[in-house]
Amino acid sequence: MRRARIVISGDVSDRLSVYLQHDLATGSDTGGVTGGLLAVRDAYADIFFDAEKEYRVRAGISKIPYGFEILQSSQNRLAMDRADAVNIASRDERDTGVVFYWAPAHIRDRYKELVRSGLKGTGDYGVLGLGVYNGQGLNRGELNNNVHKIARLNYPFKFDGGQFFEVGISALSGKYVPRAVSITAPTAITPTFNSQGVRDNRAGVHAVLYPQPFGLQSEWNWGHSPELNASHTKIEAAKLKGGYVQAMYKLDTNLGSWIPYAKWQRYDGSEKFIANAPRSILRETEIGVEWLPRPELELTVAYAKMDRTNVNTFVTALNGYRQVHADTLRVQLQWNY
């Protein structure tokens, strides 16, 4: 099971709402358990400052407002996985923090419409989002005295013919404390790094022409992140860049809704959440189709041609990480309630 989510949410009053989400199919980072663990995904409160709910603060464990795909629910996303180049910004898309959101009432309605109509929107994360968060990732303790800062500006346009177009910019900055383990290359080496963290910043742009019926979606970002150096002795800040482009077409028939898509992504930068923060080189093309015979039932079939670094295994004979090629065919059945 990729996901098994249970949500409890509601309005405590006209100025406070709460949202709790747990997953019963979470895996373990330490090995031995591949799934079936209960884990917190979200646990936050929205505190509203006005009756129209245009100004609010979200406090607790929630998604980090960066880019588009990070905020897009897996329930709505076409591809089975988020693009690495963007998703590496925030592990599991979430962290503990406080974020201020602002959006006019009519724009909040527009965000709701983009989800309700099946156009694969993100939901309401404001026109403006400003916040601070721990920076180590979901359900992980803070390891330094530094918080990450986040800013996002986003606007969904609606043209006279009903076509939606969304565009935005995002930026984050902080210091991330990586995890170092011994490397045999050919003698045992444990990389060192600044105990208060390594520079971790990035800025990105995104744009979405919603599928009515043809659509385009793209994100690109640049920055610096902790990365293992060439001599494998130190983890220090290094440049990163990458993103993706996705084309899609929404076709509504008597047999349900069909959305074929093609997605190309590339990434050159570190995998900061992996032990020793190795550098990853990724080139990947994916084609697939999502079929919704009913709004609550979804079947996705996808083929991907991959060229990526196996960042999980250091190969002593190569004195580095192996670049691997793969062809994968995946099928996913999802039911929503």
Side-chain angles (χ1 to χ4, degrees):
M1 296 284 286
R2 286 171 60 85
R3 297 171 188 88
R5 304 286 175 85
I6 297 176
V7 174
I8 301 172
S9 64
D11 295 327
V12 177
S13 70
D14 58 351
R15 297 298 178 92
L16 177 67
S17 67
V18 296
Y19 187 94
L20 304 173
Q21 180 178 210
H22 289 74
D23 195 334
L24 292 89
T26 303
S28 171
D29 285 345
T30 57
V33 179
T34 57
L37 299 178
L38 176 66
V40 175
R41 299 298 296 183
D42 297 279
Y44 63 80
D46 276 340
I47 305 165
F48 300 97
F49 297 112
D50 61 312
E52 290 75 25
K53 299 186 177 182
E54 295 183 347
Y55 300 86
R56 73 187 192 272
V57 164
R58 178 166 291 180
I61 299 173
S62 67
K63 284 189 174 180
I64 302 305
Y66 184 86
F68 185 83
E69 269 199 337
I70 278 182
L71 299 176
Q72 190 181 35
S73 170
S74 300
Q75 192 176 42
N76 296 324
R77 191 179 62 252
L78 275 175
M80 294 186 196
D81 297 312
R82 294 175 174 88
D84 294 54
V86 178
N87 203 40
I88 290 171
S90 179
R91 184 167 192 159
D92 297 313
E93 305 89 50
R94 297 162 171 86
D95 211 323
T96 303
V98 179
V99 184
F100 166 80
Y101 289 112
W102 167 77
H106 72 285
I107 297 299
R108 298 195 71 207
D109 291 339
R110 196 170 293 177
Y111 284 131
K112 293 176 184 176
E113 183 180 354
L114 285 168
V115 174
R116 187 171 53 244
S117 61
L119 292 178
K120 308 299 184 181
T122 62
D124 180 10
Y125 289 90
V127 170
L128 176 67
L130 299 169
V132 294
Y133 61 100
N134 281 347
Q136 290 300 128
L138 175 65
N139 297 330
R140 290 166 177 83
E142 177 64 350
L143 298 178
N144 58 19
N145 295 321
N146 176 272
V147 294
H148 274 58
K149 282 77 68 177
I150 184 76
R152 181 177 186 261
L153 185 64
N154 183 82
Y155 196 86
F157 295 91
K158 185 177 183 179
F159 301 119
D160 291 341
Q163 176 68 56
F164 286 99
F165 175 71
E166 187 170 327
V167 64
I169 57 175
S170 309
L172 65 83
S173 178
K175 290 185 177 181
Y176 178 78
V177 180
R179 180 169 63 95
V181 299
S182 179
I183 299 173
T184 304
T187 59
I189 301 172
T190 300
T192 62
F193 57 86
N194 188 324
S195 62
Q196 282 301 303
V198 183
R199 181 165 56 135
D200 181 30
N201 58 44
R202 62 175 63 202
V205 296
H206 63 272
V208 182
L209 177 70
Y210 283 93
Q212 298 170 277
F214 175 75
L216 284 172
Q217 178 180 319
S218 181
E219 296 186 64
W220 217 265
N221 60 172
W222 307 261
H224 296 81
S225 194
E227 183 181 305
L228 184 67
N229 65 9
S231 62
H232 311 135
T233 59
K234 192 173 182 180
I235 300 173
E236 51 196 356
K239 290 183 179 180
L240 64 84
K241 62 180 179 180
Y244 70 90
V245 178
Q246 177 176 285
M248 49 209 158
Y249 192 91
K250 190 173 189 294
L251 182 63
D252 296 317
T253 71
N254 293 333
L255 296 177
S257 178
W258 302 78
I259 309 180
Y261 69 91
K263 183 177 185 177
W264 175 82
Q265 63 166 311
R266 66 171 292 165
Y267 178 59
D268 298 274
S270 80
E271 294 266 4
K272 66 181 181 183
F273 299 116
I274 301 297
N276 296 327
R279 184 170 183 80
S280 174
I281 306 298
L282 183 153
R283 307 289 186 268
E284 183 171 308
T285 302
E286 177 178 328
I287 57 173
V289 60
E290 177 190 275
W291 175 42
L292 287 83
R294 298 185 58 83
E296 67 274 13
L297 192 62
E298 172 187 311
L299 181 67
T300 302
V301 179
Y303 163 78
K305 189 171 186 62
M306 299 178 177
D307 176 3
R308 59 169 63 212
T309 307
N310 179 4
V311 295
N312 292 298
T313 305
F314 186 93
V315 182
T316 304
L318 297 176
N319 195 29
Y321 295 85
R322 188 187 303 276
Q323 194 72 13
V324 297
H325 301 267
D327 297 273
T328 66
L329 179 65
R330 296 188 291 174
V331 181
Q332 177 178 279
L333 176 65
Q334 178 175 284
W335 55 92
N336 307 312
Y337 62 96

PDB file of all heavy atoms in Angstrom, residues 57-70:
ATOM      1  N   VAL A  57      -3.243  32.150  10.008  1.00  0.00           N
ATOM      2  CA  VAL A  57      -1.971  31.536  10.364  1.00  0.00           C
ATOM      3  C   VAL A  57      -2.214  30.040  10.523  1.00  0.00           C
ATOM      4  O   VAL A  57      -3.176  29.627  11.180  1.00  0.00           O
ATOM      5  CB  VAL A  57      -1.399  32.127  11.669  1.00  0.00           C
ATOM      6  CG1 VAL A  57      -0.306  31.229  12.232  1.00  0.00           C
ATOM      7  CG2 VAL A  57      -0.827  33.512  11.417  1.00  0.00           C
ATOM      8  N   ARG A  58      -1.360  29.254   9.896  1.00  0.00           N
ATOM      9  CA  ARG A  58      -1.431  27.795  10.029  1.00  0.00           C
ATOM     10  C   ARG A  58      -0.265  27.359  10.910  1.00  0.00           C
ATOM     11  O   ARG A  58       0.903  27.559  10.560  1.00  0.00           O
ATOM     12  CB  ARG A  58      -1.363  27.132   8.661  1.00  0.00           C
ATOM     13  CG  ARG A  58      -1.374  25.608   8.701  1.00  0.00           C
ATOM     14  CD  ARG A  58      -1.641  25.019   7.328  1.00  0.00           C
ATOM     15  NE  ARG A  58      -3.014  25.287   6.906  1.00  0.00           N
ATOM     16  CZ  ARG A  58      -3.519  24.883   5.745  1.00  0.00           C
ATOM     17  NH1 ARG A  58      -2.773  24.197   4.890  1.00  0.00           N
ATOM     18  NH2 ARG A  58      -4.780  25.165   5.437  1.00  0.00           N
ATOM     19  N   ALA A  59      -0.561  26.755  12.057  1.00  0.00           N
ATOM     20  CA  ALA A  59       0.461  26.368  13.030  1.00  0.00           C
ATOM     21  C   ALA A  59       0.421  24.863  13.263  1.00  0.00           C
ATOM     22  O   ALA A  59      -0.656  24.291  13.469  1.00  0.00           O
ATOM     23  CB  ALA A  59       0.240  27.111  14.348  1.00  0.00           C
ATOM     24  N   GLY A  60       1.586  24.227  13.244  1.00  0.00           N
ATOM     25  CA  GLY A  60       1.663  22.789  13.488  1.00  0.00           C
ATOM     26  C   GLY A  60       2.434  22.079  12.401  1.00  0.00           C
ATOM     27  O   GLY A  60       3.343  22.637  11.781  1.00  0.00           O
ATOM     28  N   ILE A  61       2.084  20.824  12.148  1.00  0.00           N
ATOM     29  CA  ILE A  61       2.703  20.027  11.091  1.00  0.00           C
ATOM     30  C   ILE A  61       1.849  20.159   9.836  1.00  0.00           C
ATOM     31  O   ILE A  61       0.683  19.763   9.827  1.00  0.00           O
ATOM     32  CB  ILE A  61       2.806  18.543  11.494  1.00  0.00           C
ATOM     33  CG1 ILE A  61       3.671  18.385  12.743  1.00  0.00           C
ATOM     34  CG2 ILE A  61       3.380  17.721  10.347  1.00  0.00           C
ATOM     35  CD1 ILE A  61       3.676  16.971  13.294  1.00  0.00           C
ATOM     36  N   SER A  62       2.418  20.734   8.793  1.00  0.00           N
ATOM     37  CA  SER A  62       1.664  20.939   7.555  1.00  0.00           C
ATOM     38  C   SER A  62       2.614  20.990   6.377  1.00  0.00           C
ATOM     39  O   SER A  62       3.844  20.976   6.531  1.00  0.00           O
ATOM     40  CB  SER A  62       0.847  22.231   7.628  1.00  0.00           C
ATOM     41  OG  SER A  62       1.697  23.368   7.658  1.00  0.00           O
ATOM     42  N   LYS A  63       2.060  21.063   5.167  1.00  0.00           N
ATOM     43  CA  LYS A  63       2.876  21.135   3.962  1.00  0.00           C
ATOM     44  C   LYS A  63       3.634  22.462   3.907  1.00  0.00           C
ATOM     45  O   LYS A  63       3.130  23.498   4.329  1.00  0.00           O
ATOM     46  CB  LYS A  63       2.005  20.989   2.716  1.00  0.00           C
ATOM     47  CG  LYS A  63       1.553  19.560   2.454  1.00  0.00           C
ATOM     48  CD  LYS A  63       0.884  19.425   1.102  1.00  0.00           C
ATOM     49  CE  LYS A  63       0.568  17.956   0.805  1.00  0.00           C
ATOM     50  NZ  LYS A  63      -0.091  17.799  -0.509  1.00  0.00           N
ATOM     51  N   ILE A  64       4.854  22.392   3.363  1.00  0.00           N
ATOM     52  CA  ILE A  64       5.676  23.579   3.194  1.00  0.00           C
ATOM     53  C   ILE A  64       5.282  24.244   1.878  1.00  0.00           C
ATOM     54  O   ILE A  64       5.339  23.602   0.822  1.00  0.00           O
ATOM     55  CB  ILE A  64       7.173  23.213   3.179  1.00  0.00           C
ATOM     56  CG1 ILE A  64       7.548  22.491   4.475  1.00  0.00           C
ATOM     57  CG2 ILE A  64       8.028  24.448   2.974  1.00  0.00           C
ATOM     58  CD1 ILE A  64       7.208  23.253   5.734  1.00  0.00           C
ATOM     59  N   PRO A  65       4.863  25.508   1.894  1.00  0.00           N
ATOM     60  CA  PRO A  65       4.364  26.163   0.678  1.00  0.00           C
ATOM     61  C   PRO A  65       5.483  26.522  -0.296  1.00  0.00           C
ATOM     62  O   PRO A  65       5.931  27.671  -0.370  1.00  0.00           O
ATOM     63  CB  PRO A  65       3.654  27.405   1.220  1.00  0.00           C
ATOM     64  CG  PRO A  65       4.369  27.721   2.495  1.00  0.00           C
ATOM     65  CD  PRO A  65       4.754  26.394   3.075  1.00  0.00           C
ATOM     66  N   TYR A  66       5.936  25.525  -1.039  1.00  0.00           N
ATOM     67  CA  TYR A  66       6.980  25.732  -2.040  1.00  0.00           C
ATOM     68  C   TYR A  66       6.528  25.109  -3.356  1.00  0.00           C
ATOM     69  O   TYR A  66       6.159  23.930  -3.404  1.00  0.00           O
ATOM     70  CB  TYR A  66       8.297  25.100  -1.592  1.00  0.00           C
ATOM     71  CG  TYR A  66       9.440  25.357  -2.549  1.00  0.00           C
ATOM     72  CD1 TYR A  66      10.202  26.507  -2.454  1.00  0.00           C
ATOM     73  CD2 TYR A  66       9.724  24.450  -3.569  1.00  0.00           C
ATOM     74  CE1 TYR A  66      11.240  26.759  -3.339  1.00  0.00           C
ATOM     75  CE2 TYR A  66      10.756  24.694  -4.461  1.00  0.00           C
ATOM     76  CZ  TYR A  66      11.511  25.849  -4.347  1.00  0.00           C
ATOM     77  OH  TYR A  66      12.522  26.097  -5.238  1.00  0.00           O
ATOM     78  N   GLY A  67       6.534  25.891  -4.424  1.00  0.00           N
ATOM     79  CA  GLY A  67       6.218  25.372  -5.742  1.00  0.00           C
ATOM     80  C   GLY A  67       4.766  24.956  -5.900  1.00  0.00           C
ATOM     81  O   GLY A  67       3.855  25.467  -5.249  1.00  0.00           O
ATOM     82  N   PHE A  68       4.554  23.952  -6.762  1.00  0.00           N
ATOM     83  CA  PHE A  68       3.198  23.484  -7.084  1.00  0.00           C
ATOM     84  C   PHE A  68       2.988  22.028  -6.696  1.00  0.00           C
ATOM     85  O   PHE A  68       2.073  21.696  -5.950  1.00  0.00           O
ATOM     86  CB  PHE A  68       2.929  23.672  -8.580  1.00  0.00           C
ATOM     87  CG  PHE A  68       1.520  23.329  -8.998  1.00  0.00           C
ATOM     88  CD1 PHE A  68       0.503  24.255  -8.861  1.00  0.00           C
ATOM     89  CD2 PHE A  68       1.219  22.075  -9.509  1.00  0.00           C
ATOM     90  CE1 PHE A  68      -0.797  23.940  -9.236  1.00  0.00           C
ATOM     91  CE2 PHE A  68      -0.078  21.748  -9.888  1.00  0.00           C
ATOM     92  CZ  PHE A  68      -1.091  22.688  -9.746  1.00  0.00           C
ATOM     93  N   GLU A  69       3.858  21.121  -7.165  1.00  0.00           N
ATOM     94  CA  GLU A  69       3.641  19.689  -6.918  1.00  0.00           C
ATOM     95  C   GLU A  69       3.720  19.328  -5.446  1.00  0.00           C
ATOM     96  O   GLU A  69       3.023  18.414  -5.000  1.00  0.00           O
ATOM     97  CB  GLU A  69       4.652  18.853  -7.705  1.00  0.00           C
ATOM     98  CG  GLU A  69       4.187  18.453  -9.079  1.00  0.00           C
ATOM     99  CD  GLU A  69       4.963  17.280  -9.635  1.00  0.00           C
ATOM    100  OE1 GLU A  69       6.103  17.029  -9.200  1.00  0.00           O
ATOM    101  OE2 GLU A  69       4.432  16.609 -10.529  1.00  0.00           O
ATOM    102  N   ILE A  70       4.583  20.014  -4.667  1.00  0.00           N
ATOM    103  CA  ILE A  70       4.665  19.730  -3.237  1.00  0.00           C
ATOM    104  C   ILE A  70       3.305  19.940  -2.585  1.00  0.00           C
ATOM    105  O   ILE A  70       2.900  19.193  -1.686  1.00  0.00           O
ATOM    106  CB  ILE A  70       5.742  20.613  -2.568  1.00  0.00           C
ATOM    107  CG1 ILE A  70       7.128  19.993  -2.784  1.00  0.00           C
ATOM    108  CG2 ILE A  70       5.492  20.784  -1.072  1.00  0.00           C
ATOM    109  CD1 ILE A  70       8.262  20.731  -2.128  1.00  0.00           C
TER     110      ILE A  70
END
